[in-house]
């Protein structure tokens, strides 16, 4: 038995040893392809600091190690048990596949100016023979194959040399079983962590490709394997938009006309319905165009604001600004995640992810930034995160933003900024905004969309941040999370920065021509699960606050509302007109009829939930209704079938608008290598 166990342990160690002796030369080969790609495509006159190039090369090396180690882990199913000759053949196959994918990525970058993305799957979706003919005609296919074979042969030769010099079978013969077992454990976990790409932080992901302010260098980071993997992910995440009625039918409607009729909208034909979705009352003549600065604050929940006070300060400098603001205190997010909420706000879409694939590379006409730019605004996206996250660096520029300022840009502008897990501290976002807004010409209004990130696990804060003592007995929410107090500190940090920015603007020359608005992307998970019915209404709640000279807040501040209502409110206030979608209602209107289905005081969560002043429910599911309200629920609290029907109609029409519009757009501009 001991002998059998010893042989088994020895075989495992031999397999892990072989895996590592494959990984080392494979990483070198992939890095060599990257350096060749960098040299081959280096633009004439292009100058960047050597430190940026080194950072790119190092990050690329980490991704090379990641994909190579993953291959090594998978090969552990066979490597311990095969002969040396078979081991070399397996290694040669893996090496050739990896090297060729990176060479394909090189040519793909040369054609599309981007690493492999979801468009690569056009090989199967288009006229395959025509695409292959184009590839044969336009690319050095034979040379690339020969180069791939040469690099693979050199890599396999190095692997063979390492196997010969460090023969695992010879080494294992004289080792005790306990030592062998220890080596198995150590080498195996080393392999696992290599596949993760890091020891301390989260595993290497798509956002980690963005390491400099140079898009060119960032594009050099991914090898062919990881680029293809992310392309596959994007393809899977992108929705099939070929059936425009899919969402409507899920909501119980056979046509957009049927849904429009429920909402009292024009509904004679599809064109009339579509026009009604973007029809707005004309702005008064002479309405000035004001700067609009909008903040999507990471994890900015509504609940802490309920307990704000001298002994429980979670707002800092933001607290005194609320006296002159329009604070909508019964307000829900569109989604429970940052990117889905971002898409819902920018594109009025319940379909998400929408822009990770091909859709994100074509302008969406009703995108918020597109509307602002067409209205004469300079459009700017500013964030403390790396814009490579969810491909934002590419998507946002296509969707109407003139500039994208991210963690790398801020690091370049402020060399003392530390790059953390998610990016730089939010402090630098507000520094940049203050400087940028002060320099904006009076005759050119600006629209700024800001995404913060510091108020996010692991709730790290700058070293110089002074934590505020709080009487935790004043916290009336749930206390089960061990991160509650850390989260409240990071919440205070972000809110205080926002308050400082608002105060500076209100005291400065831009005061009368600037609207500032802020909301949270979603509730904070550490604040509780909200299982109790009386607290259930808080589960999606985030603040929505507007600061602006002359803003009349009206009677809707305590009524249910949500993300879908924000730009229907902000654009008229800022003097922006255009073809944006009437996703919600204008929260500053004072003459709203309770019988108007389009302007009814309800909130919608874009996963298919709605909330009125009595409770919350899943659309179309009467049994899901829970009585829960910021006010004491009425004695006759119950499911309202009419509310449900109208909210299903609104949800279905928003879904239909995206599908029918983008399906037509795809038909006009088909994916192809010949585009």
């Amino acid at each position: 038995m001991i002998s059998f166990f010893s042989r088994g342990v020895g075989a495992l160690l031999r397999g892990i040893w072989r895996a590592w002796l494959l990984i080392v030369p494979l990483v070198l080969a992939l890095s060599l392809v990257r350096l060749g790609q960098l040299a081959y495509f280096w633009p004439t006159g292009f100058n960047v600091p050597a430190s940026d190039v080194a950072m790119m090369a190092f990050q690329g090396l980490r991704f090379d190690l990641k994909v190579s180690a993953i291959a090594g882990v998978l090969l552990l199913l066979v490597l311990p048990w095969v002969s040396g000759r078979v081991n070399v053949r397996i290694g040669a196959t893996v090496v050739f596949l990896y090297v060729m994918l990176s060479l394909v990525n090189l040519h793909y970058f040369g054609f599309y100016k981007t690493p492999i993305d979801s468009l690569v799957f056009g090989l199967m979706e288009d006229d395959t023979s025509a695409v292959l003919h184009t590839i044969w005609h336009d690319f050095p296919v034979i040379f690339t194959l020969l180069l791939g074979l040469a690099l693979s042969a050199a890599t396999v030769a190095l692997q063979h040399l390492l196997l010969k010099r460090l023969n695992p079978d010879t080494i294992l013969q004289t080792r005790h079983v306990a030592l062998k077992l220890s080596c198995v454990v150590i080498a195996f976990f080393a392999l696992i962590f290599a596949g993760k790409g890091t020891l301390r932080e989260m595993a290497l992901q798509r956002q980690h490709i963005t390491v400099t302010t140079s898009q060119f260098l960032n594009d050099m980071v991914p090898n062919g394997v990881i680029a293809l993997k992310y392309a596959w992910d994007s393809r899977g995440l992108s929705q099939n938009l070929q059936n425009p009625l899919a969402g409507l039918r899920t909501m119980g409607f056979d046509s957009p006309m049927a849904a429009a009729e429920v909402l009292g909208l024009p509904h004679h034909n599809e064109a009339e319905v579509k026009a009604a979705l973007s029809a707005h009352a004309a702005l008064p003549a002479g309405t000035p165009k004001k700067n609009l600065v909008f903040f999507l604050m990471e994890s900015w929940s509504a609940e802490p604001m309920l307990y704000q006070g001298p002994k429980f300060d979670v707002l800092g400098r933001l607290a005194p600004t609320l006296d002159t603001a329009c604070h909508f205190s019964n307000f829900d997010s569109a989604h429970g995640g940052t990117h889905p909420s971002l898409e819902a706000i920018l594109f009025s879409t319940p379909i998400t992810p929408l822009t990770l694939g091909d859709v994100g590379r074509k302008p969406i006409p009703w995108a918020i930034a597109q509307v602002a730019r067409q209205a004469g605004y300079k459009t700017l996206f500013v964030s403390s995160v790396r814009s490579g996250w969810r491909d934002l660096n590419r998507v946002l520029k296509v969707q109407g933003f003139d500039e994208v300022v991210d963690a790398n840009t801020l690091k370049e502008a402020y060399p003392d900024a530390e790059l953390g897990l998610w990016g730089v501290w939010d402090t630098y976002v507000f520094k940049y905004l203050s400087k940028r807004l002060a320099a904006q010409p009076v005759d050119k209004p600006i629209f700024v969309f800001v995404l913060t990130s510091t108020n996010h696990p692991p709730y790290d804060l700058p070293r110089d941040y002074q934590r505020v003592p709080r009487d935790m007995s004043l916290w009336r929410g749930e206390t089960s999370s061990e991160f509650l107090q850390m989260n409240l500190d990071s919440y205070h940090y972000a809110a205080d920065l926002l308050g400082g920015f608002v105060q500076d603007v209100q005291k400065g020359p831009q005061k009368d021509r600037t609207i500032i608005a802020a909301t949270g992307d979603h509730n904070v998970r550490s604040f509780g699960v909200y299982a109790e019915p009386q607290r259930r209404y808080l589960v999606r709640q985030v603040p929505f606050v507007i600061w602006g000279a002359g803003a009349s807040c009206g009677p809707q501040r305590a009524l249910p509302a949500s993300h879908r209502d924000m730009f229907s409110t902000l654009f008229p206030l800022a003097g922006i007109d255009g073809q944006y979608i009437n996703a919600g209602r204008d929260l500053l209107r004072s003459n709203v009829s309770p019988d108007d289905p389009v302007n009814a005081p309800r909130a919608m969560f874009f996963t298919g939930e709605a909330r009125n002043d009595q409770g919350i429910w899943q659309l179309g599911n009467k049994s899901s209704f829970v009585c829960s309200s910021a006010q004491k629920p009425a004695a006759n609290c119950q499911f309202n079938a009419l509310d449900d029907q109208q909210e299903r109609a609104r949800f279905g029409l928003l879904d239909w608008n995206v599908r029918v519009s983008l399906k037509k757009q795809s038909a006009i501009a088909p994916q192809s290598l010949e585009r």
Side-chain angles (χ1 to χ4, degrees):
M1 178 64 71
I2 295 177
S3 176
F4 177 78
F5 178 73
S6 178
R7 287 197 300 271
V9 172
L12 286 174
L13 185 55
R14 178 171 55 249
I16 295 174
W17 190 260
R18 287 172 169 178
W20 272 111
L21 293 184
L22 169 64
I23 289 169
V24 172
L26 183 54
V27 168
L28 292 175
L30 296 180
S31 295
L32 184 61
V33 173
R34 175 179 297 101
L35 294 176
Q37 180 175 329
L38 180 69
Y40 187 75
F41 291 113
W42 189 274
T44 303
F46 180 64
N47 292 300
V48 291
S51 58
D52 284 3
V53 177
M55 191 179 302
M56 175 279 299
F58 176 71
Q59 194 76 339
L61 183 70
R62 293 178 68 195
F63 275 102
D64 295 342
L65 181 59
K66 175 184 175 75
V67 299
S68 301
I70 290 172
V73 171
L74 295 177
L75 289 176
L76 286 181
L77 295 173
V78 295
L79 292 185
W81 326 112
V82 299
S83 66
R85 179 175 295 179
V86 173
N87 169 58
V88 171
R89 290 175 178 173
I90 291 173
T93 302
V94 173
V95 168
F96 181 73
L97 177 63
Y98 273 42
V99 168
M100 283 305 302
L101 277 174
S102 284
L103 290 175
V104 169
N105 184 59
L106 181 152
H107 289 303
Y108 196 93
F109 178 83
F111 190 83
Y112 287 118
K113 312 308 177 189
T114 176
I116 291 173
D117 62 8
S118 57
L119 289 175
V120 75
F121 300 108
L123 177 65
M124 284 79 74
E125 296 168 344
D126 291 343
D127 183 341
T128 303
S129 61
V131 172
L132 292 175
H133 176 79
T134 301
I135 292 173
W136 178 263
H137 184 268
D138 292 348
F139 295 93
V141 177
I142 299 298
F143 176 78
T144 301
L145 287 171
L146 292 175
L147 179 60
L149 287 170
L151 283 172
S152 300
T155 304
V156 170
L158 178 58
Q159 178 199 16
H160 183 71
L161 178 63
L162 292 173
L163 285 169
K164 186 176 181 180
R165 292 289 180 89
L166 304 171
N167 191 329
D169 294 323
T170 302
I171 294 176
L172 293 173
Q173 288 175 359
T174 58
R175 298 297 183 262
H176 191 276
V177 64
L179 180 58
K180 293 178 184 177
L181 185 59
S182 299
C183 290
V184 165
V185 172
I186 293 171
F188 178 77
F189 278 101
L191 200 61
I192 294 297
F193 281 115
K196 182 172 180 277
T198 180
L199 290 174
R200 176 181 177 272
E201 303 174 347
M202 68 173 65
L204 284 178
Q205 298 179 34
R206 187 193 296 262
Q207 65 262 33
H208 296 116
I209 288 174
T210 307
V211 292
T212 75
T213 57
S214 167
Q215 186 62 52
F216 174 77
L217 290 182
N218 293 337
D219 285 341
M220 298 297 112
V221 171
N223 53 58
V225 179
I226 203 70
L228 183 61
K229 191 267 184 188
Y230 289 149
W232 181 263
D233 289 347
S234 295
R235 178 179 172 81
L237 290 170
S238 297
Q239 304 299 304
N240 181 359
L241 304 176
Q242 296 308 304
N243 181 7
L245 300 180
L248 278 168
R249 287 175 175 165
T250 300
M251 290 293 117
F253 299 96
D254 291 330
S255 70
M257 286 73 76
E261 184 178 11
V262 168
L263 296 173
L265 298 174
H267 55 276
H268 288 97
N269 52 55
E270 289 191 4
E272 195 173 60
V273 174
K274 200 167 190 320
L277 290 176
S278 57
H280 316 288
L283 296 175
T287 300
K289 294 185 184 299
K290 297 184 177 182
N291 299 324
L292 178 55
V293 184
F294 177 85
F295 290 88
L296 187 60
M297 304 284 286
E298 172 63 46
S299 303
W300 200 41
S301 300
E303 187 174 13
M305 297 179 73
L306 300 176
Y307 317 133
Q308 166 68 23
K311 295 184 179 180
F312 193 86
D313 182 13
V314 290
L315 296 180
R317 289 173 289 173
L318 188 68
T321 71
L322 296 178
D323 295 337
T324 57
C326 297
H327 176 201
F328 297 90
S329 59
N330 195 3
F331 196 87
D332 290 2
S333 66
H335 278 282
T338 302
H339 188 255
S341 285
L342 181 66
E343 288 199 323
I345 294 167
L346 289 176
F347 310 117
S348 301
T349 173
I351 302 172
T352 190
L354 182 68
T355 59
L356 292 185
D358 305 329
V359 169
R361 297 179 181 276
K362 302 165 189 162
I364 297 174
W366 64 88
I368 294 302
Q370 296 277 21
V371 173
R373 185 159 68 179
Q374 290 165 7
Y377 280 66
K378 174 76 172 180
T379 56
L380 179 65
F381 186 93
V382 181
S383 181
S384 52
V385 304
R386 298 174 178 89
S387 61
W389 175 71
R390 295 298 182 105
D391 237 5
L392 290 183
N393 51 343
R394 299 186 186 280
V395 170
L396 294 174
K397 290 182 179 179
V398 175
Q399 304 306 336
F401 285 100
D402 297 318
E403 294 182 50
V404 176
V405 175
D406 72 342
N408 294 306
T409 314
L410 295 171
K411 173 66 175 174
E412 190 173 74
Y414 303 98
D416 60 322
E418 296 180 35
L419 277 169
L421 184 61
W422 295 105
V424 299
W425 304 121
D426 289 343
T427 303
Y428 298 99
V429 165
F430 289 93
K431 282 185 178 181
Y432 180 89
L433 283 174
S434 296
K435 182 179 178 181
R436 185 64 181 268
L437 193 60
Q440 188 65 23
V442 175
D443 60 344
K444 181 68 173 179
I446 189 170
F447 168 57
V448 188
F449 193 108
V450 186
L451 175 64
T452 67
S453 66
T454 301
N455 184 36
H456 189 287
Y459 309 118
D460 288 337
L461 289 169
R463 297 186 187 92
D464 59 352
Y465 172 73
Q466 299 295 316
R467 297 182 184 270
V468 177
R470 297 180 189 88
D471 181 355
M472 290 302 296
S473 66
L474 298 175
W475 172 261
R476 302 184 192 92
E478 298 173 45
T479 58
S480 58
S481 173
E482 61 180 303
F483 303 108
L484 176 59
Q485 295 194 48
M486 295 172 62
N487 198 169
L488 291 173
D489 284 338
S490 61
Y491 186 103
H492 174 273
Y493 165 80
D496 178 71
L497 287 173
L498 176 61
F501 176 79
V502 171
Q503 289 185 24
D504 288 345
V505 172
Q506 290 180 335
K507 295 174 184 176
Q510 300 276 14
K511 172 185 177 182
D512 295 329
R513 55 178 182 269
T514 301
I515 303 296
I516 302 173
T519 190
D521 56 353
H522 53 76
N523 194 359
V524 172
R525 295 163 181 84
S526 67
F527 287 168
V529 296
Y530 304 96
E532 302 88 349
Q534 65 271 22
R535 283 174 48 80
R536 186 65 183 170
Y537 75 95
L538 287 168
V539 68
R540 314 294 188 196
Q541 291 216 326
V542 293
F544 177 47
V545 188
I546 304 172
W547 298 266
S552 176
C553 298
Q556 301 193 58
R557 284 176 288 175
L559 298 179
S562 59
H563 275 170
R564 67 174 178 180
D565 303 306
M566 292 188 299
F567 280 92
S568 294
T569 303
L570 293 171
F571 273 178
L573 181 63
I576 299 174
D577 200 2
Q579 296 300 305
Y580 59 93
I581 300 300
N582 287 313
R585 67 190 197 271
D586 185 345
L587 299 177
L588 298 179
R589 286 183 58 183
S590 57
N591 57 340
V592 178
S593 169
D595 299 323
D596 179 0
V598 173
N599 291 291
R602 294 188 288 262
M604 180 183 286
F605 194 67
F606 275 10
T607 58
E609 291 181 5
R611 187 171 61 83
N612 57 20
D613 61 352
Q614 294 192 356
I616 185 171
W617 73 98
Q618 192 76 29
L619 292 176
N621 185 355
K622 179 180 179 179
S623 63
S624 68
F625 183 81
V626 176
C627 289
S628 185
S629 174
Q631 287 76 40
K632 185 177 180 180
N636 63 343
C637 174
Q638 59 183 336
F639 175 78
N640 186 310
L642 181 60
D643 281 4
D644 177 63
Q645 182 189 42
Q646 292 174 353
E647 289 306 302
R648 285 188 287 110
R650 177 63 67 84
F651 186 99
L653 285 177
L654 291 177
D655 182 283
W656 170 79
N657 176 67
V658 173
R659 292 179 187 275
V660 73
S661 302
L662 299 183
K663 179 185 178 183
K664 291 178 180 177
Q665 193 178 51
S666 296
I668 295 171
Q671 306 170 32
S672 173
L673 285 171
E674 300 173 336
R675 68 181 181 183

